[in-house]
Amino acid sequence: MSLAVRVVAPDKTVWDAEAEEVVLPSTTGQLGILSGHAPLLTALDIGVLRVRADKDWVAIALMGGFAEVENNEVTILVNSAERGDNIDLSAAQAEYASAKSEADGVSSEDKQAIIKARKSLKKARARVQAAGGSI
């Protein structure tokens, strides 16, 4: 048996196909979903969604959202998403380096700037990982 997986961002449907397994980046850690999974509603963190379809893994960078699992259907609603095979790894690594240097330069007094820099760094890390790079 398989799962019907759908990843929907405000501007497009990023994935809409059958899969054997899904690994979600929830706010409480990684969640593995197989067919027959109990109903679930969870918040998603910025991170990498991994979908196994036809024995191949597909990585998708997610920028936060929610996932619902019910009756072998996984519906993922996100703020933004990008398939790893559509991401230029060298550009993503440059973006990560820039975000890291920006985060390192933020004053410890400016709490709002710290939060913004950490979020940018997390997004850049997710894009690099989805593209197949490591950090």
Side-chain angles (χ1 to χ4, degrees):
M1 218 145 105
S2 62
L3 299 164
V5 181
R6 189 165 205 210
V7 179
V8 181
D11 59 339
K12 63 186 171 192
T13 298
V14 179
W15 180 275
D16 189 4
E18 298 289 314
E20 287 80 41
E21 183 177 358
V22 175
V23 179
L24 296 168
S26 83
T27 55
T28 58
Q30 299 289 312
L31 285 174
I33 309 294
L34 298 169
S35 64
H37 197 285
L40 170 75
L41 181 62
T42 187
L44 298 176
D45 201 358
I46 295 169
V48 180
L49 163 72
R50 302 201 188 279
V51 180
R52 185 168 59 90
D54 298 326
K55 299 184 183 182
D56 293 323
W57 286 93
V58 175
I60 301 172
L62 301 181
M63 301 306 157
F66 294 92
E68 178 186 38
V69 179
E70 190 170 24
N71 298 324
N72 290 325
E73 291 183 10
V74 181
T75 305
I76 301 164
L77 304 174
V78 292
N79 298 323
S80 178
E82 190 174 4
R83 284 183 56 145
D85 51 9
N86 293 337
I87 298 172
D88 177 357
L89 179 57
S90 59
Q93 288 171 327
E95 178 186 333
Y96 176 79
S98 173
K100 179 142 180 50
S101 113
E102 182 182 322
D104 291 343
V106 172
S107 165
S108 60
E109 304 290 317
D110 191 350
K111 303 298 182 193
Q112 189 172 7
I114 291 171
I115 292 168
K116 183 179 176 186
R118 286 183 182 165
K119 188 173 182 179
S120 293
L121 188 61
K122 216 172 184 180
K123 286 180 178 183
R125 179 184 299 124
R127 291 187 78 241
V128 168
Q129 291 173 337
S134 62
I135 295 174

